[in-house]
Amino acid sequence: MLKKLLLSICFIFLLSTGLDTISYAKTRDIDTTKDSRVLIYNDMLMLILNAQVEEVANQYYFKKLKQRVAVYPYDMNVVNVKRVNGFRGFDFLITIETKPSLGAHNPVGKDRFTFQISPDVPKMDGIQLIELKHIKSYSIPPHLRD
């Protein structure tokens, strides 16, 4: 329930922008050197989505690495947010790009996750994975290969 409330607050901010789609060009311009309303809402949304992103990343990477990867909310970047069913509709697609890592900041790849966020999604508090796209693999440092 708390997750739904926080998610609603984040999307109220997105709604207040009056845009149906927010592209990566808009979100990458967030100033991360000082706190702001935009940064607060962005960070809250990344925190809410972090558990699902990390779980999906681990399903993908565990087959290859045999160990769990970590996804940090501050390394998650919004690529695109789209309101699916028009003005004041509460069905969204959000695409996030991140670099899951092993240990302390050793990225193993670059991935793009697309989620549907909607009251019509029955499980996972209204959040459902639509697509995972693996973009790039990175070599694993020798000390982490075992």
Side-chain angles (χ1 to χ4, degrees), residues 12-77:
I12 287 170
F13 168 74
L14 292 174
L15 293 173
S16 70
T17 64
L19 300 174
D20 286 342
T21 301
I22 297 176
S23 69
Y24 178 65
K26 298 280 186 195
T27 59
R28 72 176 174 194
D29 294 330
I30 295 173
D31 183 358
T32 58
T33 62
K34 61 182 179 186
D35 216 358
S36 68
R37 179 178 253 173
V38 172
L39 186 59
I40 289 170
Y41 288 126
N42 182 79
D43 290 351
M44 221 182 333
L45 182 57
M46 295 308 100
L47 189 60
I48 290 166
L49 293 173
N50 185 254
Q52 282 93 338
V53 169
E54 193 168 78
E55 185 58 39
V56 172
N58 273 295
Q59 289 171 9
Y60 178 82
Y61 286 102
F62 193 76
K63 297 171 193 170
K64 299 174 183 182
L65 303 174
K66 304 297 182 219
Q67 55 185 310
R68 293 186 61 81
V69 295
V71 176
Y72 301 104
Y74 54 82
D75 278 339
M76 296 168 57
N77 297 303

Side-chain angles (χ1 to χ4, degrees), residues 85-134:
N85 53 355
F87 180 70
R88 297 294 299 174
F90 289 88
D91 190 354
F92 299 91
L93 290 177
I94 183 167
T95 303
I96 294 168
E97 202 168 87
T98 191
K99 294 178 181 177
S101 12
L102 286 175
H105 312 292
N106 297 291
V108 294
K110 184 176 187 179
D111 302 292
R112 192 171 277 182
F113 302 81
T114 300
F115 290 95
Q116 178 185 15
I117 301 175
S118 170
D120 297 333
V121 175
K123 295 183 181 180
M124 298 297 291
D125 290 326
I127 304 169
Q128 175 182 337
L129 177 71
I130 301 298
E131 180 183 33
L132 164 62
K133 183 177 181 182
H134 179 69

